[in-house]
Amino acid sequence: MKKIITISREFGAGGGEIGRKLSERLHYQYYDKEIILQAAAESNLDIYSLIEWDEKVPIQFAFSQSLFDFYNRPLSEKIFKAQSSVIRMIGEKGNCIIVGRNSNSILKEYEHSLHVFVHARFNWRLERMKERMKGMSEAKVAEQIKRIDKTRNSYCTYNTRHKFGCSKYYDLTLNSEKFGIERCVDIICEALEYV
Amino acid sequence: MKKIITISREFGAGGGEIGRKLSERLHYQYYDKEIILQAAAESNLDIYSLIEWDEKVPIQFAFSQSLFDFYNRPLSEKIFKAQSSVIRMIGEKGNCIIVGRNSNSILKEYEHSLHVFVHARFNWRLERMKERMKGMSEAKVAEQIKRIDKTRNSYCTYNTRHKFGCSKYYDLTLNSEKFGIERCVDIICEALEYV
């Protein structure tokens, strides 16, 4: 029976690392940034536009009164649709782990899927990312975390009308600070058994 | 090492049943309604008022503009404080499972604690509760679920300023429809190992 794991995550909480470790342990294919590249290849969209727009909403979004009140909706929708169809194609193949890009929402009706959200306290994520962003000041790392969290949040609300991190949209959510990365992998494997 | 499990839950999602099964498996003490009775005994409050107010917010709350704009705050606060101190006392003894009453928030700083939220789709909860509320019409059961969900939601927001069911306030959240009750118990036990 082929299974799908989607991992949504706060920046710095270790969602990507958990995904890669799961992929090694389960011998599942791991998909992250490459979804975008695949989407570009399959939709004749300019690859630089795609990278630029990945998990972002149009700049106007932040200042607009309404979700629909901005000029460049057609481009962002085109990109979201292209990504969504690549995500569905990957989901149909199964035995895969897909990180980010609202894949929990895109694949929510799929059988044998496990939708996971990984989060942690801001300060824990800050310490973790300082280690990985050597040479960047603490203030700069903190700013980066806040910016990316905000962007993912808006991207989620904009494309799915869901609240990012609300447990009802996931089968399992984990505090990676509490358990640590390895243990999160164990818990996900345990949860996957009966999916 | 003594541990604490708190279980917050949507009505009908099986949080209480999961708690009781965990209690049998782990030989931990299980606390639910009896917290209220204990709170009454220890605070000289009228026991009927306590039962009446359990997991509720003052009626005026729903109609008020502000969280503070209602008349009978003193009584509800007195009850919440009495319950909170009983919950902290139980937490200090350890090896316990506490269901509901914002115990995740009250015990959030405690070491070796695991804060769980259990949720499921409305229709699954409806089918489950119809089985348990024989003789009640489907419409009545549905109304009951909505009413209790709403009450718990307001009770949580009112007392903790937290959003009920938002993953950041729990270490682990589970979709009980996806896993089933027994499997939720397995996953919680797995997660508890390194707490």
Side-chain angles (χ1 to χ4, degrees), chain B:
Chain B
M1 182 203 306
K2 300 216 169 188
K3 297 182 182 181
I4 301 165
I5 302 173
T6 71
I7 302 181
S8 310
R9 73 292 183 227
E10 287 183 333
F11 184 67
E17 199 177 332
I18 290 167
R20 283 188 294 274
K21 283 181 190 286
L22 274 170
S23 146
E24 282 162 29
R25 200 184 294 181
L26 300 165
H27 306 290
Y28 279 19
Q29 198 69 39
Y30 175 83
Y31 296 94
D32 193 341
K33 282 268 175 211
E34 59 258 51
I35 290 174
I36 317 163
L37 304 180
Q38 221 170 322
E42 296 185 17
S43 62
N44 298 325
L45 282 167
D46 164 28
I47 204 161
Y48 296 105
S49 302
L50 270 167
I51 290 167
E52 177 70 18
W53 284 77
D54 182 39
E55 292 195 301
K56 284 181 193 148
V57 291
I59 295 157
Q60 286 86 339
F61 176 67
F63 304 104
S64 76
Q65 290 290 81
S66 142
L67 287 175
F68 304 99
D69 179 26
F70 61 89
Y71 302 118
N72 38 12
R73 182 178 175 178
L75 177 60
S76 69
E77 287 216 337
K78 212 168 163 187
I79 291 168
F80 185 70
K81 275 194 179 164
Q83 272 202 23
S84 300
S85 74
V86 176
I87 288 170
R88 273 191 289 269
M89 202 185 71
I90 292 167
E92 264 149 33
K93 284 197 280 180
N95 286 3
C96 58
I97 296 146
I98 308 175
V99 174
R101 287 137 201 97
N102 293 326
S103 41
N104 65 315
S105 169
I106 295 159
L107 301 177
K108 71 172 178 232
E109 308 295 356
Y110 277 54
E111 271 195 303
H112 313 305
S113 59
L114 178 68
H115 304 297
V116 181
F117 182 78
V118 181
H119 63 94
R121 252 191 331 130
F122 184 82
N123 282 351
W124 188 77
R125 295 189 282 139
L126 179 62
E127 288 309 314
R128 215 173 151 263
M129 294 321 285
K130 268 162 61 186
E131 283 294 306
R132 281 162 179 73
M133 292 168 157
K134 299 264 193 221
M136 204 185 259
S137 72
E138 179 169 319
K140 203 82 194 155
V141 177
E143 190 192 308
Q144 183 86 338
I145 295 174
K146 282 179 193 159
R147 194 182 55 77
I148 297 179
D149 273 358
K150 201 174 161 188
T151 306
R152 286 183 185 166
N153 220 303
S154 312
Y155 180 78
C156 175
T157 308
Y158 177 71
N159 287 303
T160 69
R161 310 289 183 269
H162 290 172
K163 184 120 189 57
F164 190 66
C166 173
S167 59
K168 70 185 281 190
Y169 301 115
Y170 312 95
D171 299 316
L172 177 75
T173 80
L174 294 166
N175 173 355
S176 52
E177 175 180 7
K178 187 65 157 259
F179 303 116
I181 300 297
E182 284 293 342
R183 195 70 191 161
C184 284
V185 176
D186 294 340
I187 298 168
I188 294 169
C189 286
E190 174 75 25
L192 191 68
E193 287 276 313
Y194 282 70
V195 162

